Amino acid sequence: SDPASSADASTERRYAIAIEGIAALGDSAALVEAFEAESALYEGRGEPANAAQIDRRSRSDSELLAELLRSQGYYDALVEPHIDSAGDAVTVILEAEPGEQYRFESVELPGLDAAGEESNALREAFAVERGDPVIAADVIAAGVALRVALGEQGFALAEVGERQIEIDHSTRTASLVLPVEPGPLATFGEIRVSGGPPFSAN
């Protein structure tokens, strides 16, 4: 091996980080924030690192950024790491190609019609519709909101099944199915008060 190359590889240097290709995305600020929270490069950026460490972190962070892009509906996202060295200055560049953001072609809540006249209001509580981007956090939040709405509308025994999302790469769309069993509409029965409370049942 070349002694000079070995010495250079073992030299520890601080580095800067740059992300390219996502500035035009509408949710780029939130994406960068989520990336920085889990990034190996950002965690170790304050301390010098050798070439092997920087390479390992850059590859790990490339996978992280690609996964975060997929969670925002960019299922064709590609991220390539590049390391730019100029003298003692080292910049790790993560070059992203997000591709097109996938959208829902269909959103179905089978079983919700059993809620009767409350079904429309419950459907509105699930705030993901056909044409919306396939954003994982939005789907999760909509499911939580639906469960809350079911309880508020009196469906105390309601069950929300496991969501099923199918991705179609040929059309860059997705379908969402979330089974719902509202169950019976629960009502309060007779109210009884025992002991010596300060208020009566009325």
Side-chain angles (χ1 to χ4, degrees):
S1 62
D2 184 352
S5 298
S6 298
D8 184 64
S10 64
T11 300
E12 294 190 340
R13 293 180 288 182
R14 287 184 169 83
Y15 55 84
I17 308 162
I19 300 176
E20 297 181 352
I22 67 170
L25 303 183
D27 45 10
S28 61
L31 188 66
V32 170
E33 183 178 353
F35 172 78
E36 291 179 357
E38 300 183 47
S39 164
L41 285 169
Y42 271 87
E43 182 179 359
R45 71 188 185 282
E47 298 294 331
N50 61 40
Q53 291 172 317
I54 295 173
D55 181 69
R56 190 163 51 247
R57 293 172 191 175
S58 66
R59 293 181 185 278
S60 173
D61 277 8
S62 293
E63 295 176 5
L64 169 63
L65 183 57
E67 183 62 31
L68 289 172
L69 283 164
R70 284 190 286 270
S71 75
Q72 294 294 315
Y74 300 97
Y75 284 90
D76 296 328
L78 296 174
V79 180
E80 288 291 335
H82 303 285
I83 299 175
D84 184 10
S85 298
D88 291 335
V90 176
T91 302
V92 180
I93 302 170
L94 301 182
E95 185 176 352
E97 295 181 14
E100 184 178 336
Q101 190 177 39
Y102 286 36
R103 293 183 176 273
F104 282 112
E105 176 65 25
S106 63
V107 177
E108 300 178 20
L109 304 176
L112 190 62
D113 288 344
E117 61 184 17
E118 305 294 343
S119 60
N120 287 337
L122 291 169
R123 179 61 185 85
E124 291 179 2
F126 189 83
V128 173
E129 302 177 353
R130 183 177 184 269
D132 287 348
V134 186
I135 299 177
D138 290 352
V139 175
I140 294 171
V144 172
L146 176 59
R147 287 181 173 86
V148 171
L150 283 162
E152 291 177 343
Q153 296 296 333
F155 296 96
L157 303 178
E159 293 186 5
V160 178
E162 184 175 349
R163 61 181 176 273
Q164 304 162 31
I165 298 178
E166 292 188 5
I167 304 297
D168 187 337
H169 291 277
S170 65
T171 60
R172 295 182 175 85
T173 60
S175 62
L176 168 63
V177 177
L178 183 67
V180 183
E181 293 183 17
L185 184 63
T187 58
F188 286 109
E190 180 183 357
I191 299 175
R192 298 176 180 174
V193 178
S194 60
F199 304 107
S200 67
N202 290 333

